[in-house]
Amino acid sequence: MNKIYIISGPAGVGKSTTTKGLAEQFNQSAYIEGDLINHMVVGGYLPPWKSEESLSLVWENIADLSINFVQANKNVIIDYVAFPEEVEKFSQKINSEVQNVEVIYVVLWVDRDELLRRDALRIKEHQMGIRCLELVNEFEIKVIDKRFFYNTTHLRPSDLDEVFLNIKENPSFKY
């Protein structure tokens, strides 16, 4: 059975590091970076947090790519901010198109001070600043089952193998 991993969380929490490393754990995998799909729109671009239409288009494309990769016998790892309503729509589309696929949803989480510390370590043009905290607030406002949260506040890059193993084997992350 192939799996689709949706790795979410506020900007700066470690989604890219985690998803890229997780994708490398499999012999057959595909890595989908939602921000790249989002930035494919040039004329008429609106950020997904300002346009429901833009957000919907990104998720439709992520779902279509995921279906294609799963049909090619790949595990799919998605790096994008995902809230439960997007995961639900995504899962419904996937399950209507593909048999024998499991969706795994993980919200990476760190406390605010650690989030800001990690963001400051990024190269200047990738720093998110206040947007990190705005996303923290959005995640806190949403009704998200706590079983999907994975707190990595006290984990370091040397702990990544533990993170990958937990994401792959923890049954509470199954959507």
Side-chain angles (χ1 to χ4, degrees):
M1 175 178 289
N2 289 96
K3 295 183 180 183
I4 299 174
Y5 296 85
I6 301 173
I7 309 299
S8 185
V13 79
K15 289 186 302 295
S16 296
T17 299
T18 302
T19 53
K20 288 174 186 172
L22 183 62
E24 293 172 358
Q25 300 293 302
F26 299 98
N27 290 329
Q28 297 288 320
S29 66
Y31 167 72
I32 298 174
E33 187 176 349
D35 285 339
L36 287 179
I37 294 171
N38 178 50
H39 289 109
M40 288 178 174
V41 174
V42 179
Y45 173 79
L46 289 172
W49 60 91
K50 291 185 177 180
S51 168
E52 185 61 40
E53 185 179 322
S54 293
L55 182 61
S56 181
L57 181 60
V58 170
W59 277 106
E60 281 292 319
N61 283 298
I62 290 173
D64 289 340
L65 281 170
S66 296
I67 290 165
N68 291 337
F69 285 127
V70 167
Q71 289 174 337
N73 201 34
K74 310 281 188 231
N75 289 296
V76 177
I77 297 83
I78 299 167
D79 171 358
Y80 200 54
V81 174
F83 294 107
E85 58 270 20
E86 288 117 18
V87 176
E88 180 60 29
K89 287 179 192 172
F90 173 88
S91 295
Q92 287 175 2
K93 181 169 183 168
I94 295 298
N95 290 323
S96 73
E97 300 279 332
V98 182
Q99 301 280 320
N100 296 321
V101 66
E102 191 171 88
V103 176
I104 309 297
Y105 177 49
V106 181
V107 178
L108 297 179
W109 199 254
V110 296
D111 65 38
R112 290 170 188 261
D113 290 338
E114 178 63 12
L115 185 63
L116 292 173
R117 186 191 74 77
R118 290 181 187 182
D119 185 54
L121 294 174
R122 293 171 140 187
I123 57 175
K124 196 74 169 162
E125 56 267 14
H126 292 267
Q127 291 179 4
M128 298 297 290
I130 193 71
R131 181 71 182 136
C132 293
L133 298 179
E134 290 171 355
L135 281 165
V136 166
N137 292 336
E138 284 186 60
F139 275 98
E140 289 175 341
I141 290 169
K142 301 280 183 176
V143 179
I144 302 175
D145 191 324
K146 297 296 180 204
R147 71 187 176 99
F148 296 118
F149 282 84
Y150 185 15
N151 192 319
T152 64
T153 298
H154 302 293
L155 298 177
R156 299 290 169 239
S158 60
D159 300 318
L160 279 171
D161 286 338
E162 174 187 334
V163 172
F164 303 147
L165 187 63
N166 194 359
I167 290 171
K168 287 178 5 183
E169 294 187 2
N170 189 334
S172 70
F173 295 141
K174 182 179 176 187
Y175 188 79

